[in-house]
Amino acid sequence: MASAQVYPASEPARWIYLDRIRTRPGPFTNPDIFSGEQVAAAMETMKILVIGAGGLGCELLKNLALSGFKDIHVIDMDTIDISNLNRQFLFRQADVGKSKAEVAARFVEKRVKGVKITPHNCRIQDFDEDFYMQFQLVVCGLDSIEARRWINATLINMVDEEVEDSYKPLIDGGTEGFKGQARVIFPTVTSCIECQLDMHAPRAAVPLCTLASIPRQPEHCVEWAHVIAWDQEKPFPELDKDDPEHITWLYQKALARAQEFNISGVTYSLTQGVVKNIIPAIAATNSVVAAACCNEALKIASNCAPFLGLPEENYMMYSGNDSVYTYTFKHEKKDDCPVCGQLARDLTVDPAWTLRELVESFAARPEAQLKKPSLRAEGKTLYMQSPPSLEAQTRPNLEKTLTELGLEAGQEIGVTDPAFATVLFKFKLKFKP
């Protein structure tokens, strides 16, 4: 049996082995949507966005460049710290203090000729939908659940059913120690990150009495600086977790607190990790998960093989604790997802709760994880976090019970959070008997 024809790229010597994969159909390829002759040319003009240039992002940039993508943009607002060098291999000692996005882009461009990487040293929230509309694929290597939720909601809100190009596949990778995952999200078609939020349980809260009186761990000292010292001294109008000056203030306060109780281990990196809830990373896990993500990007771009998300499995879990183990499954789309669903999500509450208790519960609920929620019910505003004038006006409601506020079982409430400005979370109240 003769082998399928290989259509070489413009640099056959460099891409000969890649072309054998991307320009020939696989055993499960749909011949109606595969054209090997056009693949190499299409991949050279396709725009890819990588979000994050840290441990996972460095691997993603390298892999995507070596997979034949020629036009890549990367967003990261962080600067290089000396603690990054053990796993973020695109950086060197001389790069400490420089922009991660800019250094990573120049490094890969130098190694892989013909690849153009455009760096953006800013937040993802600094761009509007027009910016994201120019890309054909978005690949995330983030260490923040909040950032994942924001880009997920943004890409879903961009979808126009009458405009095919408005569907932007999102490939998300994440690692935690020796575990990781790669998933593919087709906005409004498959389950989204918000559908899967309960798989990322919020970290357990430390009692305030422990923070205030008997800290036992370096993390307790950081939380004390974050929760108590900041509120008491208010060194800046509002805490910006991405501002090095703010993190430095918290670090110095936490260090002094630790020395007072003879606790060691408080570092700038730990402070940043606790405050931003950064997930720890291991180089080997980053490498495996980034390879899985880039494999999906190549399959989506070339159609040379079936990819996660269509028709069935959309989530790959990896574990390297004892051996190398992967498991792929389909995470179902939820009809009551606040981002991509149509129905309100059931919310079981005690009618004797005060509104304050309800507001505080949203941070601990795995399916919500909202830190600064504002609540509305039909025909009335229950509590607004901002602007200050409206917060002061609705603050008395916090001490009233749900019954006193006239809320009833089966009633829908709308919840918003400044971190997700485009999302209205809809809940239907279910009262405990």
Side-chain angles (χ1 to χ4, degrees):
M1 181 177 176
S3 60
Q5 183 176 356
V6 175
Y7 300 92
S10 56
E11 302 174 68
R14 170 125 203 180
W15 306 110
I16 182 171
Y17 297 110
L18 174 63
D19 286 334
R20 288 178 181 176
I21 297 173
R22 66 179 178 173
T23 69
R24 295 196 294 189
F28 304 103
T29 302
N30 185 341
D32 296 332
I33 60 174
F34 181 81
S35 175
E37 189 174 6
Q38 300 175 7
V39 165
M43 288 182 62
E44 290 195 6
T45 58
M46 183 177 290
K47 277 191 174 184
I48 308 293
L49 175 63
V50 176
I51 302 179
L56 200 55
C58 285
E59 292 279 358
L60 290 170
L61 287 171
K62 177 259 295 182
N63 289 351
L64 289 169
L66 292 174
S67 296
F69 295 102
K70 299 295 182 69
D71 191 351
I72 304 171
H73 288 236
V74 58
I75 301 176
D76 197 303
M77 66 174 298
D78 285 343
T79 55
I80 299 164
D81 187 81
I82 193 167
S83 64
N84 302 147
L85 303 182
N86 71 325
R87 64 192 182 280
Q88 299 176 21
F89 60 92
L90 299 182
F91 310 139
R92 300 293 183 266
Q93 182 83 30
D95 298 324
V96 171
K98 298 179 182 177
S99 161
K100 285 186 177 181
E102 294 174 4
V103 173
R106 300 292 85 82
F107 191 106
V108 176
E109 282 184 337
K110 184 177 179 181
R111 290 296 186 93
V112 187
K113 300 300 182 184
V115 173
K116 176 187 176 184
I117 301 182
T118 305
H120 303 278
N121 184 28
C122 59
R123 305 185 311 153
I124 56 175
Q125 293 88 347
D126 292 340
F127 293 111
D128 58 16
E129 291 186 358
D130 290 338
F131 172 81
Y132 292 106
M133 192 65 75
Q134 67 182 302
F135 301 102
Q136 282 72 56
L137 275 175
V138 178
V139 187
C140 288
L142 290 162
D143 57 12
S144 164
I145 299 298
E146 288 81 3
R148 284 187 176 96
R149 295 172 71 184
W150 188 91
I151 190 64
N152 172 74
T154 297
L155 295 181
I156 289 174
N157 287 338
M158 286 166 46
V159 171
D160 183 341
E161 294 182 358
E162 297 180 357
V163 181
E164 184 179 355
D165 193 46
S166 66
Y167 291 84
K168 308 295 180 182
L170 172 63
I171 303 172
D172 176 62
T175 63
E176 183 173 5
F178 289 102
K179 298 179 181 180
Q181 99 279 329
R183 52 187 167 180
V184 177
I185 294 160
F186 290 89
T188 72
V189 178
T190 64
S191 74
C192 71
I193 286 177
E194 204 70 31
C195 293
Q196 305 163 10
L197 186 61
D198 53 5
M199 298 182 69
H200 302 274
R203 55 181 177 171
V206 180
L208 278 176
C209 58
T210 298
L211 299 180
S213 57
I214 323 171
R216 298 184 299 272
Q217 301 173 11
E219 290 82 1
H220 293 171
C221 299
V222 175
E223 284 287 10
W224 173 85
H226 178 205
V227 176
I228 298 177
W230 182 280
D231 187 59
Q232 290 175 344
E233 301 186 28
K234 289 186 169 44
F236 301 94
E238 187 173 347
L239 175 61
D240 183 349
K241 297 178 182 180
D242 295 310
D243 190 323
E245 188 177 1
H246 293 197
I247 298 296
T248 298
W249 188 92
L250 292 173
Y251 161 61
Q252 291 171 346
K253 285 291 179 181
L255 185 61
R257 178 77 167 175
Q259 292 171 347
E260 180 183 350
F261 288 89
N262 296 319
I263 297 174
S264 60
V266 173
T267 63
Y268 181 90
S269 179
L270 176 74
T271 303
Q272 191 176 43
V274 171
V275 172
K276 297 178 66 177
N277 196 19
I278 293 175
I279 300 170
I282 291 175
T285 311
N286 286 336
S287 179
V288 171
V289 171
C293 291
C294 292
N295 194 31
E296 296 306 317
L298 177 62
K299 290 188 291 184
I300 292 172
S302 67
N303 278 310
C304 64
F307 39 82
L308 287 177
L310 294 176
E312 294 295 331
E313 291 84 1
N314 57 8
Y315 201 113
M316 187 279 290
M317 298 182 66
Y318 163 81
S319 176
N321 284 341
D322 300 317
S323 59
V324 175
Y325 171 79
T326 63
Y327 176 64
T328 306
F329 65 97
K330 179 180 180 180
H331 195 288
E332 296 287 349
K333 190 172 186 287
K334 295 183 178 179
D335 292 334
D336 62 355
C337 172
V339 175
C340 69
Q342 303 297 323
L343 303 177
R345 178 170 291 176
D346 287 340
L347 184 71
T348 302
V349 297
D350 188 331
W353 277 7
T354 64
L355 184 62
R356 182 185 301 278
E357 290 175 304
L358 177 60
V359 168
E360 292 176 348
S361 74
F362 282 110
R365 291 177 180 271
E367 76 277 17
Q369 301 186 40
L370 304 172
K371 296 180 179 179
K372 292 185 176 181
S374 296
L375 283 69
R376 293 186 179 91
E378 185 176 357
K380 67 175 73 174
T381 298
L382 299 174
Y383 178 66
M384 297 296 294
Q385 298 272 0
S386 62
S389 58
L390 194 51
E391 193 280 332
Q393 185 179 341
T394 56
R395 191 184 307 154
N397 286 342
L398 291 175
E399 309 310 322
K400 297 179 181 179
T401 67
L402 303 187
T403 302
E404 291 171 343
L405 290 169
L407 298 178
E408 301 175 349
Q411 186 173 357
E412 288 190 13
I413 61 172
V415 183
T416 57
D417 189 291
F420 315 102
T422 60
V423 180
L424 174 65
F425 298 86
K426 294 182 292 184
F427 293 95
K428 180 184 290 185
L429 296 178
K430 290 184 65 177
F431 284 171
K432 294 178 182 178

